[in-house]
Amino acid sequence: MTDEDRFGGYTPGRATRFYVPLLVQAFSQCLTYPLVAAIVSHGSLGVDSLTAFAQGQTVMFLIGAIGGGLIMTGMVFARTLTGYRNFIRLNTWMMASLLAIQMIAALPPFDALIFRDLLNLPPDLARVARQTLFWGIPLQATFFVRNVPLVVLFNARASAAANNATFIRILLTILASYAFVKVGWTGAMWGLVAMTVPTFAELAFTYLFARRYVRELRDDAPADSALTQFRFTMPLALGGFLLAAAPFMVATFVGRTADHVAMLSIHYVTIGLANAVGYAALRMQAVTIQFPPEHDGDRRVLRYAVAAGLVLGVFLLLPVLPGIADWYFHTVQSIPPENVGKARVTMLIYAIWPVLQTIRGNAEGFAAVRKRPNAVLSGQIAYLGTLVAVLAATLHLGMPGWLMGVTAILMATIATTAAVRAHLALADRRQ
């Protein structure tokens, strides 16, 4: 039985009912990072501590991104009971392997090689980054375990239930961000605690909400083995790794500019907000998988993606407003007054990004529907290649460090969509 038979085909109303909870969930999940940033930046090292914390998490997410294609894999294959069980096996294998890599990266001599030699952090900030990476292992594990119930909820179009679990996480994070600063529990390690404990709660409720849908799974169609699912997810895994390498590359290039610590602080504070909306926009992948084209030339979901991106872009204009900008960038995130204007300009440029992300999500979701993960991989290779090329060019041309990241990210997103579409078009010609 197809999803169209069970739930009905595409209409703007059905797509919105499915997408809005995903959007709110993604936005809420990413919103936890700016909230936690307030705890970190109020520590003894000030906003410099946020730079080190973000560098540690960048490496953590770079490792975890190798499993970034698992949710898309589960949405394609975990639709029967056997397929679901095989997906659990795959998810567990990858989680164990990647957590071991994260632990090794946080130990000598690799920690010094990564944070001091490659990312050019001073010794005190390199120590904070290493601690963030090591003690982030439980948080990373939670993200992997959460894949299983999320896939079940998405395949049942119960995205609102997943959203409710995330609301619990965001509420606990808000409470922690206020209470921790109030009682003086500040700095990178307390920020990590404020991220990890609410994520445990989110995981518990996500499993609770998914239980009823697991009981409904049946073996009414042949199921692909865990090895078949692994072969499907590996191009997505490599693509996810390349995509997660982007912040790492931005930090590497911006770290070579004048006043690089201040420039990185502006980048991390602004990308924290932009990612919240950009990640929500990219959930258009799931919408496209649930509402695939019904015939050649069906562009309804693509048009829906463009409209959704335009609406999301409005949210990134709010921090540009003078009163909000001064409050958030200076008071909350401890950006010096002379750099608030730079942060405002960066957010204004980022307002274009959600449209590019929804279009990209539509292309990647369409590639998943057609079981062409190599098309997604092509897009991720194009993303990293374009990002590095633009960063290198802007560094050579003397562009200010705070402007380099947003310029490279926008250009790389455009290149991703073009590469995915080109790969699919070439595959069609070969058939």
Side-chain angles (χ1 to χ4, degrees), residues 225-242:
S225 66
L227 181 59
T228 300
Q229 294 186 30
F230 176 74
R231 289 169 179 160
F232 178 88
T233 204
M234 279 315 295
L236 301 178
L238 179 57
F241 178 81
L242 294 174

Side-chain angles (χ1 to χ4, degrees), residues 25 84-85 87-89 91-92 95 141-153 158 161-166 168 199-215:
Q25 181 199 40
Y84 167 74
R85 289 170 175 166
F87 174 72
I88 292 176
R89 293 189 186 96
N91 190 69
T92 303
M95 176 182 67
T142 306
F143 291 151
F144 274 96
V145 176
R146 190 184 61 189
N147 287 338
V148 175
L150 280 181
V151 161
V152 173
L153 292 173
N163 187 40
N164 291 337
T166 301
I168 295 170
T199 306
F200 285 162
E202 179 192 31
L203 173 63
F205 280 98
T206 305
Y207 259 106
L208 180 64
F209 297 149
R211 287 176 58 190
R212 56 168 290 200
Y213 300 106
V214 173
R215 289 194 293 265

Side-chain angles (χ1 to χ4, degrees), residues 67-79:
L70 284 168
I71 288 182
M72 192 180 296
T73 300
M75 290 185 69
V76 173
F77 292 103
R79 294 178 175 271

Side-chain angles (χ1 to χ4, degrees), residues 17-368:
R17 284 192 293 273
F18 179 74
Y19 180 53
V20 168
L22 288 180
L23 186 156
V24 175
Q25 181 199 40
F27 180 79
S28 300
Q29 286 176 343
C30 289
L31 187 61
T32 61
Y33 300 109
L35 289 171
V36 169
I39 299 173
V40 178
S41 61
H42 279 80
S44 59
L45 297 176
V47 73
D48 291 349
S49 182
L50 176 59
T51 298
F53 181 78
Q55 298 280 34
Q57 290 213 312
T58 294
V59 178
M60 185 184 88
F61 293 142
L62 179 63
I63 295 169
I66 298 175
L70 284 168
I71 288 182
M72 192 180 296
T73 300
M75 290 185 69
V76 173
F77 292 103
R79 294 178 175 271
T80 65
L81 184 59
T82 301
Y84 167 74
R85 289 170 175 166
N86 288 336
F87 174 72
I88 292 176
R89 293 189 186 96
L90 172 63
N91 190 69
T92 303
W93 294 341
M94 294 192 69
M95 176 182 67
S97 301
L98 294 174
L99 291 180
I101 292 173
Q102 181 171 336
M103 179 178 293
I104 292 170
L107 298 175
F110 302 104
D111 59 327
L113 177 65
I114 294 169
F115 296 117
R116 296 188 62 176
D117 298 338
L118 187 58
L119 292 175
N120 199 30
L121 288 177
D124 55 341
L125 298 187
R127 183 175 61 255
V128 172
R130 185 199 71 81
Q131 292 173 343
T132 301
L133 179 62
F134 183 82
W135 294 109
I137 290 174
L139 180 64
Q140 184 87 284
T142 306
F143 291 151
F144 274 96
V145 176
R146 190 184 61 189
N147 287 338
V148 175
L150 280 181
V151 161
V152 173
L153 292 173
F154 291 166
N155 282 344
R157 292 193 187 175
S159 52
N163 187 40
N164 291 337
T166 301
F167 270 135
I168 295 170
R169 173 186 173 186
I170 195 71
L171 177 61
L172 291 175
T173 307
I174 290 173
L175 293 174
S177 67
Y178 173 79
F180 282 23
V181 173
K182 198 75 173 177
V183 301
W185 293 353
T186 56
M189 291 302 97
W190 282 114
L192 195 58
V193 171
M195 287 185 68
T196 305
V197 174
T199 306
F200 285 162
E202 179 192 31
L203 173 63
F205 280 98
T206 305
Y207 259 106
L208 180 64
F209 297 149
R211 287 176 58 190
R212 56 168 290 200
Y213 300 106
V214 173
R215 289 194 293 265
E216 295 173 1
L217 290 174
R218 298 289 184 271
D219 283 328
D220 54 1
D224 292 282
S225 66
L227 181 59
T228 300
Q229 294 186 30
F230 176 74
R231 289 169 179 160
F232 178 88
T233 204
M234 279 315 295
L236 301 178
L238 179 57
F241 178 81
L242 294 174
L243 185 62
F248 194 82
M249 297 309 300
V250 171
T252 300
F253 279 91
V254 176
R256 268 51 181 182
T257 62
D259 196 16
H260 68 278
V261 173
M263 296 299 99
L264 283 169
S265 297
I266 296 171
H267 168 69
Y268 282 124
V269 167
T270 54
I271 194 64
L273 289 175
N275 267 342
V277 178
Y279 182 49
L282 198 57
R283 287 297 181 93
M284 194 58 63
Q285 294 169 334
V287 176
T288 306
I289 293 173
Q290 288 297 324
F291 300 97
E294 296 177 8
H295 54 79
D296 291 340
D298 185 357
R299 299 288 186 270
R300 292 176 298 169
V301 176
L302 176 59
R303 291 193 291 271
Y304 180 87
V306 173
L310 290 171
V311 173
L312 289 172
V314 174
F315 289 96
L316 292 183
L317 294 175
L318 296 178
V320 178
L321 300 176
I324 297 177
D326 292 336
W327 168 76
Y328 180 74
F329 293 122
H330 177 55
T331 305
V332 176
Q333 299 295 0
S334 303
I335 293 290
E338 63 271 18
N339 288 335
V340 170
K342 298 181 181 71
R344 291 176 63 193
V345 173
T346 303
M347 293 309 306
L348 182 63
I349 299 172
Y350 269 128
I352 309 169
W353 195 36
V355 178
L356 303 179
Q357 283 284 82
T358 52
I359 295 173
R360 169 189 162 191
N362 175 259
E364 292 179 345
F366 183 53

